[in-house]
Amino acid sequence: MIICAFINDRFLTADNIINILRQVSVYALLAFAESVCIISGNLDLAAASTLVFAGCLSIFVYVGTGSLLLAVIVAILIGVVINLISGIIVAYFNIPPFVATLGMQMSVRGAVYLLTDGMTISETGENFKALGQGYVGPIPNPVIIMMICAVIFWVILDKTRLGRNFYAVGGNREAARASGINLRKYTILAYLVAGAFTGLAGIVYCSRINAGTPAGAQGYEGQGIAAAVIGGIGFAGGTGNAWGAVIGAVVIGIINNILNLMGVNSYMQQVVNGLVIVLAVGLDTFTRSKRTSS
């Protein structure tokens, strides 16, 4: 950041900072979704596909009813329903979360293509873009949504029994079982909470681009995981907090913004983003092993 501030005088301008926050809003919502899964000892590789399905269906609802509120509710419910299926598969069939959600990723993406007939939805109706492109004063709506969700996520994790049990299940499953926590129940609940954030991310994403693209948001689940881990969410489960996920998403956004300002092409940016994920998980694993050995 310091180097880029010297190289490019646009980096630290208010407009650019606001632009970064607007760009990372969807990543942050996915980071909340991935964080609650990771904290509870799970994972969701279907998040990007769920995001696109929820977003595309919300457009159909908005076009049919003219109600943005109903479209938001439907998007959230779609995320919850899809993740309910993932949670049941993981909790009751003992299929590893990686395998279960990888299968859901493929299935849900296929369902998006069936829903849209493989075509981009360009007729979004009047004012659909207001949610993702509008402002309240100088602050973009997606940034406001991101911060409200961050507060909600913080309350869930830090101030409720639900959040404490997520930490317990992810930190030590056997100890959690011995203390009377229903592992299946909290695995499913973790996926439900994650689904709500993912569904909301879906309508924000489609509203930002004012379209529904069945092939959109490719790799966004990786960005969400990277933001969570960079923000201190321990990949082995049981550690981390909501505000760390926000910070992680902002770091991802700053890296992308710096690369854009320096004129780095999009292919190289994908290389950098992949390395960031590997380094973030590797650093988390290394520091955890150091704490364990000491």
Side-chain angles (χ1 to χ4, degrees):
M1 288 176 63
I2 293 171
I3 293 171
C4 192
F6 281 104
I7 293 175
N8 193 307
D9 57 6
R10 291 180 296 163
F11 177 66
L12 290 180
T13 62
D15 287 344
N16 190 53
I17 298 301
I18 291 293
N19 183 51
I20 291 173
L21 292 175
R22 182 173 60 244
Q23 290 177 343
V24 305
S25 57
V26 173
Y27 293 158
L29 293 174
L30 286 182
F32 300 153
E34 296 292 355
S35 294
V36 71
C37 288
I38 294 171
I39 285 171
S40 62
N42 298 290
L43 189 65
D44 185 11
L45 295 181
S49 298
T50 303
L51 176 155
V52 174
F53 189 94
C56 288
L57 190 59
S58 71
I59 293 176
F60 288 130
V61 171
Y62 181 77
V63 170
T65 66
S67 172
L68 188 58
L69 176 61
L70 182 60
V72 170
I73 293 172
V74 168
I76 292 173
L77 287 176
I78 289 297
V80 168
V81 169
I82 292 174
N83 272 31
L84 173 63
I85 297 170
S86 295
I88 290 173
I89 293 172
V90 172
Y92 283 92
F93 295 92
N94 294 321
I95 297 176
F98 179 92
V99 176
T101 58
L102 181 62
M104 286 296 293
Q105 177 193 77
M106 299 176 185
S107 298
V108 174
R109 183 68 70 166
V112 177
Y113 281 102
L114 289 172
L115 176 69
T116 62
D117 200 26
M119 304 294 290
T120 296
I121 309 169
S122 56
E123 297 295 329
T124 59
E126 193 71 22
N127 296 326
F128 179 78
K129 63 182 180 182
L131 186 70
Q133 299 183 24
Y135 287 76
V136 175
I139 310 300
N141 287 342
V143 177
I144 295 172
I145 293 170
M146 175 182 71
M147 297 311 298
I148 291 173
C149 287
V151 172
I152 294 172
F153 190 38
W154 170 71
V155 170
I156 291 173
L157 289 184
D158 283 23
K159 304 298 181 182
T160 68
R161 180 181 177 184
L162 177 66
R164 290 191 292 272
N165 286 346
F166 286 157
Y167 283 109
V169 171
N172 190 320
R173 294 182 67 85
E174 294 308 315
R177 179 185 286 110
S179 64
I181 295 175
N182 186 324
L183 300 185
R184 288 176 172 173
K185 173 183 175 181
Y186 283 96
T187 294
I188 292 174
L189 287 174
Y191 275 103
L192 294 182
V193 173
F197 285 121
T198 304
L200 181 59
I203 190 170
V204 172
Y205 171 79
C206 288
S207 180
R208 278 204 63 208
I209 64 175
N210 198 29
T213 55
Q218 295 287 350
Y220 271 43
E221 67 281 333
Q223 297 282 26
I225 293 170
V229 176
I230 289 171
I233 308 296
F235 203 70
T239 59
N241 61 74
W243 299 110
V246 176
I247 293 170
V250 172
V251 169
I252 293 288
I254 288 172
I255 291 172
N256 290 335
N257 184 258
I258 288 173
L259 294 176
N260 284 328
L261 291 176
M262 294 178 66
V264 177
N265 68 57
S266 59
Y267 304 125
M268 182 55 68
Q269 289 186 34
Q270 290 184 36
V271 173
V272 173
N273 285 329
L275 291 175
V276 166
I277 294 173
V278 173
L279 288 172
V281 176
L283 180 61
D284 172 67
T285 303
F286 175 76
T287 54
R288 186 179 289 268
S289 64
K290 292 286 287 185
R291 288 196 300 267
T292 302
S293 61
S294 61

